[in-house]
Amino acid sequence: GLRDLVRVGVYHEQALGDDEVRGALRDALPTLAQPVVSMLPVRTPALPGAPLVVDAAAAAGARTVLGDDDFPRAVRVDHRVWVGATRGAGDGIVPQTEDVIARLRSTARDAGVELDDCVKMNIAYVGDGTAEDWAVAAKVRGAAFREPAAAATGIPYPRLPGGALTQFEMLSVGGSVATRRHGWPEGHWDWPFHLPWKHACRAGDLVTVGGQVSLQGAGEVGLAVTMAKFPLNSLARPVENPWVARYLNRFRTQAGQRIIPKFPALGSMI
């Protein structure tokens, strides 16, 4: 139930006040629900007419909660640690990034894991999505992690809570840094300069995938997942042109992904 929540992400209209959204979320949840929270103002929520969109993760079992505010800094269940939206101090995105990383390292240590145990990093920054917006702090972020590092996603936003220029959240699996596997499909897109992040990361039975930019038109996410040695079946609409269909099928299945045609899919899915 809602008491098992470990993380809540709220993507809300940028005109809404941060405290207003945070308060509404706290009021909507049971008192004993203590997830970490990431609030992100967007220009237009994903659902037309909705002032906000929420996603969430839950985990059953005994938990350790760090922090005594309305929402904690981190929640640990078994070997997994969710760290909520973390912002830093400083005049400019680079000093803020350095401070955020220091805070994440401290929170990870308090939760009994290492910073390099991170398996998924979500990075928000203020910008318009240009290379200049992104690159200025990317090297600072990358230098803080050993390679191969987690799967990562970086997305620009029109603003961030508290006037911050950047905000991180992460998921870690304790003790995973020496045993996890990573996926990087051959020919996959890369950053304009070297960074330690990978497209997919597997720690035990958990697979995380970073943000994907389609350069081929199909199969990118599924390919990254199967490169991490996680079996995957995907539902796809058949392409009428047989030559294009064969090309797409070869591309999508090169690492073991199974493609199920959309129309006669029911029998294969059950």
Side-chain angles (χ1 to χ4, degrees):
L2 292 178
R3 293 182 182 182
D4 293 324
L5 288 173
V6 290
R7 176 197 175 270
V8 174
V10 183
Y11 310 87
H12 62 86
E13 290 181 345
Q14 59 177 324
L16 295 177
D18 302 323
D19 291 341
E20 176 187 7
V21 174
R22 188 181 182 90
L25 178 62
R26 182 66 272 173
D27 291 343
L29 293 175
T31 303
L32 294 180
Q34 292 184 293
V36 301
V37 169
S38 177
M39 296 196 312
L40 291 163
V42 296
R43 290 183 174 88
T44 305
L47 297 178
L52 57 83
V53 174
V54 175
D55 64 16
R63 64 192 55 212
T64 301
V65 175
L66 302 181
D68 55 5
D69 293 333
D70 288 341
F71 297 105
R73 287 186 293 136
V75 175
R76 177 167 184 157
V77 178
D78 196 16
H79 295 298
R80 299 180 185 179
V81 177
W82 289 261
V83 178
T86 303
R87 297 178 292 276
D91 184 14
I93 192 170
V94 169
Q96 287 186 24
T97 297
E98 293 170 340
D99 191 40
V100 169
I101 291 169
R103 293 173 189 236
L104 290 176
R105 182 175 285 110
S106 176
T107 298
R109 184 172 57 247
D110 291 345
V113 299
E114 300 296 328
L115 184 64
D116 285 316
D117 283 325
C118 173
V119 296
K120 181 64 168 72
M121 178 69 75
N122 290 332
I123 303 156
Y125 60 94
V126 175
D128 296 316
T130 65
E132 291 76 16
D133 291 335
W134 167 83
V136 65
K139 290 183 179 180
V140 177
R141 296 190 294 262
F145 293 83
R146 269 192 289 169
E147 189 170 4
T153 301
I155 298 178
Y157 291 87
R159 70 170 185 84
L160 291 172
L165 297 176
T166 191
Q167 171 178 293
F168 294 18
E169 64 169 323
M170 69 179 185
L171 169 61
S172 301
V173 176
S176 68
V177 65
T179 60
R180 65 192 186 209
R181 293 183 288 182
H182 299 82
W184 190 289
E186 183 178 356
H188 219 49
W189 66 269
D190 200 352
W191 291 274
F193 48 81
H194 184 72
L195 291 168
W197 317 112
K198 302 304 175 186
H199 286 295
C201 178
R202 178 173 184 173
D205 60 357
L206 175 68
V207 174
T208 57
V209 179
Q212 296 298 303
V213 179
S214 178
L215 301 182
Q216 301 288 342
E220 299 277 351
V221 175
L223 190 56
V225 170
T226 49
M227 285 290 290
K229 308 301 181 184
F230 193 82
L232 182 70
N233 296 332
S234 297
L235 192 67
R237 181 183 183 278
V239 176
E240 294 181 2
N241 186 305
W243 291 277
V244 174
R246 283 196 292 269
Y247 166 77
L248 289 177
N249 196 56
R250 284 197 303 270
F251 177 79
R252 290 165 164 169
T253 60
Q254 62 183 282
Q257 178 181 199
R258 179 189 176 210
I259 301 299
I260 301 174
K262 176 180 178 180
F263 299 120
L266 184 58
S268 299
M269 293 173 66
I270 61 176

